Amino acid sequence: MPPRQRPRTDLTEGIVDGVYKAYERRLQADVLSAPVPRHVAIIMDGNRRFAESLGEEATAGHTHGKDKLEELLGWCLQLQIRVLTVFAFSTENLTRPKEELEVLMDLFEENFRRAGDDERVHRNRIRVRALGQIDLLPKAVQEAISYAEERTRGYDQYAFNLAVAYGGRQEIVHAIRRIAADAMQGTLQPADIDESVVSRYLYTSDLPDPDLILRTSGEERISNFLLWQLAYAELYFADVYWPGMRKLDFLRAIRSYQRRQRRFGT
Ligand code: IPE
Ligand code: MG
């Protein structure tokens, strides 16, 4: 690009940026004037495609995805969304190439440890937890998870859940096994098993069901995420790759949730 055109480009960018910021502020004020969802769950999809769109190695997308998650946590705190659950890694993802798994496991290890030390986490009393078949993960990741969970166990202001080695059907199977074991022991009568009992045996036993489930990257699937819990959730699909999600996109999802009338089947 000839140098004399540079200032004009910067100026245009500056204007676009300013308009974007002003719109974001208005949208945030709008969103804050109505009740926000208590529990937001997110299927973070599109990390590899995002990196490839930048001409980077696909696995570099996971680092961008991790950065976006840190940003998202800040947005949720600003909006006072009490419970955030993100799908970070599915049981199916365990079949990905070894090199990619190493990148992901390193990120989990580093970031669970970081979460345990994070000043934001302690100041806002955020309980950090991993949901899933943790025993399928490398020891180092398991230890990092225990570190974050133990350091935040007493907190109840916010809940931040990362679904790792998670599968919705597997979660239900585990619950059924434990319910069956308790029934055989005689501590639970089959006739007493109802929806609330089943909910209590899930990883999310003490959390409200998600009000809003957001998936990025334009795919419109649930992919085995929170199958039991999503019964009445509003679904929102955003056409951006996860690392490319802007606060504006997130605010739009919340506003869309607020505009829909939730009837719970009545
Ligand atoms: C989501 O991004 C992160 C994980 C599933 C670990 P992907 O890795 O699925 O990236 P795409 O969807 O292939 O672009
Ligand atoms: Mg994907």
Side-chain angles (χ1 to χ4, degrees):
M1 189 186 293
R4 68 186 169 79
Q5 282 187 16
R6 260 265 147 73
R8 184 177 290 172
T9 311
D10 288 349
L11 181 65
T12 315
E13 267 173 23
I15 291 170
V16 169
D17 227 43
V19 170
Y20 167 86
K21 281 282 163 219
Y23 180 40
E24 187 185 286
R25 270 198 304 276
R26 225 194 61 201
L27 199 54
Q28 175 153 329
D30 228 31
V31 160
L32 285 173
S33 68
V36 295
R38 258 195 318 172
H39 184 174
V40 173
I42 301 189
I43 303 175
M44 309 180 293
D45 195 16
N47 286 356
R48 295 180 299 187
R49 281 169 284 167
F50 178 82
E52 278 166 349
S53 75
L54 296 181
E56 297 176 5
E57 226 20 78
T59 48
H62 299 310
T63 305
H64 293 299
K66 184 264 303 172
D67 292 343
K68 186 55 63 174
L69 183 54
E70 296 236 346
E71 230 183 305
L72 170 81
L73 189 60
W75 302 338
C76 289
L77 291 171
Q78 280 175 357
L79 298 178
Q80 300 200 323
I81 292 167
R82 297 290 168 188
V83 185
L84 172 67
T85 303
V86 297
F87 204 173
F89 188 76
S90 69
T91 42
E92 290 81 11
N93 291 151
L94 280 164
T95 61
R96 289 204 177 176
K98 193 169 148 283
E99 300 72 44
E100 185 178 351
L101 290 180
E102 275 170 14
V103 169
L104 283 165
M105 294 307 140
D106 285 351
L107 281 173
F108 291 142
E109 184 188 344
E110 187 188 328
N111 288 286
F112 270 107
R113 275 206 186 272
R114 264 242 300 265
D117 294 328
D118 191 335
E119 173 269 332
R120 253 191 330 178
V121 164
H122 295 289
R123 183 162 36 88
N124 293 290
R125 303 182 60 79
I126 306 175
R127 183 165 180 191
V128 179
R129 262 181 291 183
L131 315 180
Q133 291 170 267
I134 307 308
D135 53 324
L136 299 180
L137 299 169
K139 270 273 160 324
V141 177
Q142 293 187 33
E143 283 166 15
I145 288 172
S146 303
Y147 180 76
E149 288 187 341
E150 272 157 30
R151 294 209 64 194
T152 62
R153 197 174 294 286
Y155 295 163
D156 57 3
Q157 191 77 10
Y158 289 92
F160 179 32
N161 310 304
L162 285 104
V164 273
Y166 175 87
R169 286 187 173 179
Q170 291 86 335
E171 177 184 29
I172 294 170
V173 168
H174 275 248
I176 292 171
R177 276 195 202 143
R178 288 173 44 233
I179 289 172
D182 286 352
M184 280 175 73
Q185 290 253 310
T187 53
L188 186 64
Q189 295 306 310
D192 293 336
I193 301 170
D194 59 13
E195 290 174 28
S196 69
V197 170
V198 174
S199 292
R200 273 212 308 278
Y201 280 79
L202 299 174
Y203 301 133
T204 49
S205 56
D206 60 333
L207 299 169
D209 284 342
D211 302 297
L212 170 67
I213 297 191
L214 160 64
R215 181 176 188 148
T216 57
S217 93
E219 311 285 351
E220 301 192 353
R221 283 190 301 279
I222 288 301
S223 300
N224 208 13
F225 190 41
L226 302 177
L227 292 184
W228 173 275
Q229 298 89 334
L230 62 66
Y232 297 105
E234 293 290 342
L235 308 180
Y236 186 92
F237 300 99
D239 214 0
V240 288
Y241 297 136
W242 166 249
M245 193 169 86
R246 301 162 302 175
K247 187 175 182 190
L248 195 60
D249 301 309
F250 184 61
L251 289 169
R252 279 189 178 137
I254 307 291
R255 190 182 52 175
S256 159
Y257 161 84
Q258 290 172 326
R259 283 183 176 169
R260 299 184 206 177
Q261 214 186 351
R262 301 181 68 210
R263 297 174 187 277
F264 295 99
T266 59

